[in-house]
Amino acid sequence: MVEQEAKPTSLQIITYAPTEFFHCQHCEVAWKQVGLGDRFHAEQRNSGLLPPDLRTEYEAISDWVVEAAMRYGDRLSIQLVDTVSLEGVWKAIRHGLHQFPAFIVGGQRPIAGFDRQRLDAELERCLGPAPSARRGMA
């Protein structure tokens, strides 16, 4: 009997996300080769794509997501959905979301607002202790 790998637990994050605009793939390569591509995109990032409070929150969420991805690896599937995108509007209506950011772990009831401890507890409830946490307990 062949063992099937467990399907990863989904983490959907519905939040305001900065949007960067790019040229077509060929033009992006050309701009990068002449040393301008990275500068153009850095200017976009620093031009105030998000107000300072949303930018600070987005960076905190990003840091938490990186840590969660490192802890759980391929056991966690992460999807970022911009609140103002068509998909974000659909998810807000579908899940009755009125506050952002919102987090949906494993398709369960959304968690409104960024509460690191509550999110870590929910991930642990769905996925069990992170591998590094289990090693430390031995």
Side-chain angles (χ1 to χ4, degrees):
M1 187 164 158
V2 177
E3 258 187 64
Q4 290 183 343
E5 283 190 38
K7 188 176 178 182
T9 296
S10 68
L11 167 62
Q12 295 179 347
I13 305 165
I14 299 95
T15 189
Y16 295 100
T19 302
E20 292 185 31
F21 297 97
F22 292 85
H23 295 89
C24 73
Q25 186 177 13
H26 297 99
C27 292
E28 282 293 327
V29 170
W31 285 118
K32 188 165 183 80
Q33 289 297 318
V34 296
L36 296 174
D38 291 336
R39 192 176 91 203
F40 288 153
H41 297 299
E43 284 177 19
Q44 279 189 74
R45 268 182 233 112
N46 295 326
S47 68
L49 292 170
L50 289 175
D53 58 332
L54 289 179
R55 183 178 180 158
T56 300
E57 181 178 68
Y58 185 80
E59 289 170 357
I61 292 169
S62 296
D63 291 343
W64 175 77
V65 166
V66 168
E67 291 171 14
M70 289 174 62
R71 277 195 313 267
Y72 293 104
D74 59 1
R75 294 172 48 207
L76 183 64
S77 171
I78 302 167
Q79 178 189 17
L80 178 69
V81 179
D82 190 350
T83 303
V84 297
S85 69
L86 288 175
E87 184 180 8
V89 171
W90 167 246
K91 287 186 182 294
I93 292 168
R94 181 173 174 227
H95 294 284
L97 302 173
H98 303 285
Q99 180 184 352
F100 301 98
F103 301 80
I104 303 170
V105 180
Q108 300 298 315
R109 187 171 168 199
I111 296 171
F114 179 56
D115 181 341
R116 192 179 195 110
Q117 291 176 330
R118 185 173 173 200
L119 290 164
D120 283 338
E122 185 64 17
L123 286 180
E124 190 164 326
R125 187 189 70 73
C126 290
L127 293 163
S132 59
R134 278 188 259 146
R135 274 194 299 263
M137 295 170 63

